[in-house]
Amino acid sequence: MNKTITTTCPYCGVGCGISAEVNEAHRSVNISGDITHPANFGRLCSKGSALGETLTLTGRLLEPSINGQQTSWDIALKKVANTFLEMINRYGQNSVAIYGSGQLLTEDYYVANKLMKGFIGNANIDTNSRLCMSSSVAGHKRAFGSDTVPCCYADFENADLFILIGSNAAWCHPVSYQRIRAAKENNPRCKVVVIDPRRTSTCDIADLHLPLASGTDAILWNGLLHYLSCYQLNSKDSGQHSVLNIDYIEQYTEGFAEALAAASADSHDIEQIAYQCQLSVEAIRCFYQWFAETEKVMSLYSQGINQSASGTDKVNAIINCHLATGRLGQPGMGPFSLTGQPNAMGGREVGGLAHQLAAHMDFTNPADVDRVARFWQTNTIAQQGGLSAIELFEAIASGKVKAVWIMGSNPVVSLPDADRVKQALQQCEFVVVSDCIAQTDTTALAHVLLPAQGWSEKDGTVTNSERRISRQRALFKSAGNAKPDWWIISQVAQRMGYESAFSYQSAVDIFREHASLSGFENDVEHGIRDFDISLFANITEKEYQQLKPVQWPVNPSYPAGKERFFDNQMFFTPSGKAQFIAITPRLPVNSPNNEYPLVLNTGRLRDQWHTMTRTALASKLNAHRPEPWLEVHPEDVENYRLQDQGLAVIVSNWGSMHARVHSTETQKKGHVFIPMHWTEQYASKGRMGALVNPVVDPVSKQPECKHTPVLIKSYLAQWYGFILCRFELDQTKLSDYWVKNRGQHFYRYELAGGTLPEDWQAWIKTHLVETPNAQWQEYKDGSTGTYRAALFIDNRVIAIVCIASTINLPERQWLSSLLAKDNLSKSERLTLLSGKPAADQDDTGKLICSCFNIGEKTIKAAISGKGLKSYQEVGQCLKAGTNCGSCVPEIKALFKNRF
Ligand code: SF4
């Protein structure tokens, strides 16, 4: 019997509510958006909608193992506990570390932090959230005295100006983006400015796009602060007056004069700013004027700001402009950091970064250290912050850290200088990985593997970008022998001798303790902290099960939570006043040079999440961008002798990778873009982390993932090809370049090779195990290097192979669709090796709408055949773009580039 469970999406920081109709017997689930959840009101993006496709047990890590040998939980846990103790005894407490993840639930995170900081006694616990938003944390703390996000999603409906900075929200926070789109459509006054070197899909709703030079954001925002200081508003009531909110500045802030002096030092001349940012004077003036004249302005920023060696300064340069105008804490205004991961915020609440203590307390305050120690009843609490992510893997590489436990993360792919991270783990004495996926680039290097529950099994809480705590609920029993992360950590802690402090029986035990700590000595006498959910300190099991999404704080003053902070102008600094930070803009540390003349920018794709461990299981998510992808401006394609849709080698000072070239004017000249997702499980050389510069921001320690000098050159192959096959092949033996992609009824392998096999048929037969009664159909043209073959059993095609000496190969979409059929028509069989469908055969073309599986050719045919005039009409006719809306910019582009 089916039952419906409400839970939360495990992907991005929007934190959408999900309604899951669960069939336990078949371990299947129908996913829809939870119409009651305030983050999404029923909407989901393509990734969230496809969650039901990712629940397969194939590829799951189901049993603990030591050095590749399956073992019992008890033996594995003892091994971890004993080895950690042994390392600590032999090399000191700083020789062990944990690397966690924004995928962990708050309860998991809490226990991991407590173990490391409270009992092992060092703070070497950092997470992949360091790569995501630590500059925001640092910027908030400098300005507000606390890591407080002032805004909420409800502000979207109240804003008259949205500024999206370094954020491709259309792809990375699609549900929030659609909400902004709707807010704009419903508000004739509303304008959108996008500040991003790339013209991304987010620009689809932009009234103004500022494609600034990479790394120059602080110059632009300093310039705005100076502009605001000079700008005179004309108002009917009060005549001409400054746009600065002088009362607000004087009463509620400190440091304005210094910040303005720094901003004015070299940012007073718009011509100069335009030159430095590579923007037009008119565009900058327009942006500044809109900001000056619009009271309800929201500045939404993401990794384009955070992932920078001066990310914290950029965050504060933005906040400075809001403080100067007093645009903070009221509906429809404020600086708003869009967090990348589902529980980056929950991690922040429990002190998930190495320099933080739990419950928004800090190592820099000895009273906080003492308070947490008393609460946890420990006398071994760490006294100072530990190693941040980049420092941690450096310490592993240099042998200072001897044992590391990696939880739910894939740093061999995602960290900058990823080849060095891989090397560091290869030589590390003891690597533990707890994960729900068996084969990742990181699990491959583990001595001990611990099977953790996956999304549909986990039970706990997460916090989204607007401070909203939501329940993530289990839909199924654990797969195999998988366990909750909090249980695994607690069991290790108990075996290390900390039985009573880690005797939790359930997630709610931990949540109660976490809530209790948030309210512990959180008062006027000891100092008020922003994070306070003390009203949950005695929450019952039943209440926890029924917990509705709520924005913290949740305490006696705000029993139902609170939408926005700083409406009372009370900040968490010693003086209670917000702090302006004087910013002297710094350009990126490594500039392009003769050897590496281009700037590499990295980011997310619409339909993939992180290192593809889950999204690559959903065939419909793989079709949108099936290969590692290099976006290059057409002039750079020419300058570097690349070919559109050909292959490229990208080289930096730190490593190299291969990717498919996509020539596009959305990319700035001199800048290239590569998505972050591919791993060694899916591509021969597609790890973009191998290229990335490990330079970090000195304050936040966040790496500069958006600016690495690179060289690009053509990947010279003797042959190119692809195989579509109903069963999985050993792709590592196929060719030098390979990319694996899972379709609905088949696997797709994109290939390129440096040496030509003597006999293609013999080559194919070594890789495809022939089944009895199979027949081959072949076509060869030695003069053009063309070889095509199809393997049939009766009228069912099992595999299709296409090889050529150039990149001109048949389109994959139609051929793939033949693998879904059990009986090909005569005409399909006849035309198959030509690679082109006959006129009477369906060919949907490249996938555009993942939600309804609608391809480019279908949309184009409807546009011309039915005379459709807008993306809305396409939606009415085909449904394309009507669910998550993420493909709307691509549908609109089809109208622009009329075919
Ligand atoms: Fe999940 Fe998409 Fe919502 Fe993000 S926007 S939480 S990925 S459904």
Side-chain angles (χ1 to χ4, degrees):
M1 199 166 102
N2 290 1
K3 58 182 173 184
T4 301
I5 298 175
T6 53
T7 183
T8 314
C9 177
Y11 295 128
C12 83
V14 177
C16 295
I18 280 178
S19 177
E21 194 187 324
V22 178
N23 183 323
E24 250 179 291
H26 293 103
R27 206 182 159 83
S28 66
V29 58
N30 274 331
I31 296 287
S32 56
D34 176 358
I35 54 169
T36 66
H37 197 292
N40 58 318
F41 295 112
R43 283 201 98 120
L44 291 177
C45 76
S46 52
K47 295 182 283 285
S49 303
L51 271 165
E53 276 192 54
T54 66
L55 308 181
T56 172
L57 295 189
T58 311
R60 279 291 301 272
L61 180 61
L62 298 172
E63 299 291 338
S65 67
I66 299 176
N67 295 324
Q69 299 300 309
Q70 186 179 321
T71 188
S72 68
W73 266 112
D74 187 48
I75 293 175
L77 294 166
K78 268 189 197 141
K79 174 76 178 170
V80 177
N82 291 343
T83 312
F84 265 56
L85 285 173
E86 192 189 317
M87 295 295 177
I88 293 165
N89 286 339
R90 240 195 301 161
Y91 305 110
Q93 62 189 20
N94 290 330
S95 64
V96 300
I98 290 176
Y99 185 68
S101 164
Q103 306 288 315
L104 293 174
L105 303 184
T106 302
E107 291 77 358
D108 306 325
Y109 244 136
Y110 178 89
V111 177
N113 268 281
K114 182 176 174 183
L115 171 62
M116 204 57 175
K117 290 176 183 157
F119 289 83
I120 291 176
N122 83 54
N124 290 344
I125 171 164
D126 216 52
T127 82
N128 57 15
S129 296
R130 179 71 67 181
L131 315 181
C132 168
M133 46 73 224
S134 54
S135 295
S136 279
V137 174
H140 288 160
K141 284 175 125 167
R142 291 203 305 193
F144 309 139
S146 57
D147 176 20
T148 315
V149 174
C151 303
C152 61
Y153 297 152
D155 286 326
F156 294 168
E157 281 81 36
N158 292 292
D160 291 328
L161 175 62
F162 291 97
I163 303 163
L164 287 140
I165 316 133
S167 159
N168 183 10
W171 282 15
C172 304
H173 300 95
V175 167
S176 292
Y177 176 77
Q178 292 303 330
R179 191 162 168 177
I180 293 168
R181 175 197 286 280
K184 182 173 195 275
E185 283 170 1
N186 291 329
N187 175 2
R189 286 188 311 277
C190 183
K191 290 197 174 64
V192 174
V193 178
V194 174
I195 302 175
D196 194 318
R198 301 166 64 211
R199 196 172 76 234
T200 63
S201 289
T202 299
C203 296
D204 187 47
I205 57 166
D207 298 282
L208 178 66
H209 171 216
L210 300 177
L212 82 178
S214 169
T216 58
D217 307 76
I219 296 172
L220 187 69
W221 285 85
N222 256 5
L224 175 60
L225 185 64
H226 174 80
Y227 182 91
L228 295 171
S229 72
C230 309
Y231 195 83
Q232 291 294 309
L233 265 180
N234 281 315
S235 119
K236 275 191 211 134
D237 307 328
S238 45
Q240 271 213 337
H241 63 90
S242 169
V243 72
L244 295 177
N245 189 332
I246 303 296
D247 284 350
Y248 190 94
I249 293 170
E250 283 178 356
Q251 285 189 59
Y252 307 123
T253 72
E254 289 173 339
F256 175 68
E258 293 82 352
L260 182 60
S264 305
D266 57 5
S267 300
H268 54 279
D269 177 1
I270 292 191
E271 274 79 18
Q272 183 63 18
I273 296 166
Y275 174 75
Q276 289 177 289
C277 297
Q278 294 174 17
L279 294 170
S280 75
V281 169
E282 295 71 35
I284 295 178
R285 195 163 276 138
C286 177
F287 162 49
Y288 285 180
Q289 192 177 342
W290 285 356
F291 191 104
E293 295 182 350
T294 313
E295 182 69 5
K296 297 197 166 189
V297 51
M298 294 190 78
S299 301
L300 297 104
Y301 61 93
S302 194
Q303 314 310 10
I305 289 294
N306 292 333
Q307 289 182 330
S308 158
S310 58
T312 312
D313 281 354
K314 291 177 183 174
V315 169
N316 286 111
I318 294 168
I319 294 174
N320 281 348
C321 294
H322 281 270
L323 291 176
T325 47
R327 293 172 185 163
L328 192 75
Q330 303 300 323
M333 58 179 78
F336 194 177
S337 146
L338 300 177
T339 48
Q341 297 207 71
N343 199 30
M345 288 285 278
R348 283 146 78 165
E349 290 158 14
V350 300
L353 294 166
H355 62 283
Q356 298 175 323
L357 265 173
H360 281 202
M361 285 182 268
D362 264 314
F363 283 110
T364 48
N365 180 359
D368 280 352
V369 180
D370 173 61
R371 183 173 300 117
V372 178
R374 282 186 286 112
F375 183 85
W376 281 342
Q377 299 178 19
T378 175
N379 52 18
T380 53
I381 194 165
Q383 298 296 317
Q384 58 188 27
L387 300 169
S388 65
I390 300 290
E391 295 165 342
L392 170 55
F393 283 87
E394 269 302 315
I396 295 170
S398 67
K400 287 186 192 131
V401 167
K402 310 278 186 191
V404 63
W405 184 352
I406 298 166
M407 299 172 181
S409 188
N410 202 354
V412 170
V413 181
S414 50
L415 275 176
D417 199 4
D419 286 346
R420 181 151 166 82
V421 170
K422 183 175 179 180
Q423 226 176 42
L425 288 178
Q426 277 166 336
Q427 66 201 38
C428 183
E429 281 191 39
F430 190 60
V431 179
V432 183
V433 178
S434 37
D435 207 307
C436 58
I437 303 294
Q439 277 187 337
T440 73
D441 295 10
T442 302
T443 58
L445 305 176
H447 299 101
V448 178
L449 279 174
L450 304 173
Q453 290 177 330
W455 166 72
S456 61
E457 299 147 13
K458 284 159 97 85
D459 197 54
T461 54
V462 288
T463 308
N464 71 2
S465 295
E466 59 164 358
R467 293 174 278 103
R468 188 176 297 280
I469 299 171
S470 298
R471 288 279 280 111
Q472 209 174 87
R473 295 185 173 89
L475 311 181
F476 304 108
K477 292 198 185 83
S478 292
N481 234 330
K483 299 282 186 192
D485 284 287
W486 64 260
W487 181 90
I488 303 172
I489 301 158
S490 302
Q491 291 295 316
V492 168
Q494 289 182 25
R495 284 164 177 77
M496 290 180 78
Y498 314 124
E499 288 87 352
S500 61
F502 292 87
S503 60
Y504 309 110
Q505 298 301 308
S506 66
V508 67
D509 285 351
I510 302 162
F511 187 73
R512 276 192 286 259
E513 184 178 310
H514 164 54
S516 182
L517 176 57
S518 77
F520 182 59
E521 297 181 357
N522 187 354
D523 50 35
V524 177
E525 183 190 341
H526 300 91
I528 292 186
R529 307 189 296 274
D530 62 338
F531 180 69
D532 182 357
I533 56 167
S534 52
L535 219 60
F536 294 133
N538 297 309
I539 191 170
T540 64
E541 170 81 40
K542 191 171 167 206
E543 287 165 340
Y544 183 70
Q545 290 313 339
Q546 295 171 348
L547 185 68
K548 297 265 185 262
V550 62
Q551 283 174 283
W552 60 258
V554 187
N555 56 20
S557 305
Y558 301 102
K562 182 169 158 62
E563 279 192 317
R564 54 188 71 78
F565 263 87
F566 309 133
D567 48 344
N568 57 0
Q569 290 86 33
M570 291 294 298
F571 297 89
F572 297 91
T573 52
S575 63
K577 294 187 176 189
Q579 301 296 304
F580 281 92
I581 304 295
I583 302 299
T584 303
R586 284 175 290 124
L587 290 176
V589 175
N590 295 288
S591 307
N593 50 49
N594 287 344
E595 201 178 351
Y596 302 112
L598 298 159
V599 174
L600 167 68
N601 186 359
T602 62
R604 292 186 167 116
L605 287 177
R606 188 189 83 186
D607 287 355
Q608 292 294 348
W609 179 255
H610 280 196
T611 60
M612 296 166 69
T613 50
R614 288 172 299 175
T615 41
L617 300 172
S619 55
K620 66 180 174 190
L621 297 181
N622 293 328
H624 184 239
R625 294 282 185 271
E627 276 181 272
W629 182 256
L630 172 74
E631 288 183 4
V632 196
H633 188 276
E635 284 184 29
D636 286 327
V637 169
E638 208 178 307
N639 290 343
Y640 293 94
R641 297 189 184 160
L642 304 177
Q643 193 179 0
D644 187 24
Q645 300 307 315
L647 296 174
V649 184
I650 307 100
V651 188
S652 77
N653 200 22
W654 294 274
S656 67
M657 69 168 282
H658 302 153
R660 182 77 60 185
V661 174
H662 176 58
S663 173
T664 170
E665 289 186 347
T666 60
Q667 199 56 243
K668 249 173 120 67
K669 267 184 277 176
H671 291 54
V672 298
F673 173 81
I674 297 178
M676 62 191 273
H677 309 289
W678 273 268
T679 71
E680 287 179 1
Q681 313 302 312
Y682 289 99
S684 50
K685 220 167 172 199
R687 284 159 59 241
M688 83 60 200
L691 296 170
V692 174
N693 178 358
V695 170
V696 299
D697 179 289
V699 184
S700 69
K701 305 287 173 76
Q702 180 153 358
E704 181 149 77
C705 300
K706 300 287 188 188
H707 190 104
T708 301
V710 293
L711 170 70
I712 51 176
K713 52 192 180 186
S714 196
Y715 177 98
L716 296 173
Q718 293 273 332
W719 61 273
Y720 303 84
F722 64 85
I723 299 177
L724 305 169
C725 185
R726 285 182 189 261
F727 48 85
E728 206 168 349
L729 305 175
D730 181 355
Q731 69 271 5
T732 58
K733 300 208 170 89
L734 287 171
S735 55
D736 310 330
Y737 174 91
W738 58 262
V739 178
K740 177 168 109 176
N741 192 287
R742 189 189 299 253
Q744 201 173 359
H745 301 277
F746 63 94
Y747 290 87
R748 167 175 165 180
Y749 299 92
E750 290 293 330
L751 310 170
T755 46
L756 273 170
E758 274 179 24
D759 176 349
W760 279 112
Q761 195 178 64
W763 178 84
I764 299 278
K765 286 182 178 172
T766 58
H767 298 296
L768 284 170
V769 182
E770 263 192 77
T771 40
N773 307 321
Q775 315 111 39
W776 281 101
Q777 194 173 307
E778 279 186 294
Y779 166 80
K780 263 188 253 181
D781 180 349
S783 64
T784 61
T786 302
Y787 176 82
R788 292 186 192 163
L791 183 68
F792 286 91
I793 295 179
D794 300 326
N795 256 342
R796 192 165 181 257
V797 65
I798 305 299
I800 299 167
V801 182
C802 292
I803 307 289
S805 56
T806 69
I807 57 166
N808 298 321
L809 288 154
E811 282 186 24
R812 285 57 157 175
Q813 186 67 29
W814 173 69
L815 289 171
S816 309
S817 70
L818 301 183
L819 284 140
K821 300 188 175 183
D822 280 339
N823 196 11
L824 295 194
S825 69
K826 202 167 166 193
S827 130
E828 284 168 334
R829 196 160 169 161
L830 272 174
T831 49
L832 189 155
L833 289 189
S834 75
K836 283 192 196 136
D840 61 337
Q841 293 164 16
D842 278 349
D843 179 15
T844 57
K846 183 176 90 152
L847 185 81
I848 299 283
C849 172
S850 301
C851 299
F852 296 111
N853 217 8
I854 300 171
E856 185 179 288
K857 288 187 182 168
T858 308
I859 299 173
K860 282 180 173 178
I863 292 173
S864 30
K866 300 190 177 174
L868 307 181
K869 299 267 179 320
S870 64
Y871 80 90
Q872 289 95 335
E873 287 184 7
V874 171
Q876 283 157 13
C877 178
L878 299 170
K879 288 175 86 175
T882 58
N883 181 38
C884 73
S886 304
C887 62
V888 165
E890 284 166 83
I891 298 173
K892 284 171 90 175
L894 295 180
F895 284 96
K896 275 188 209 140
N897 319 321
R898 280 311 281 262
F899 31 93

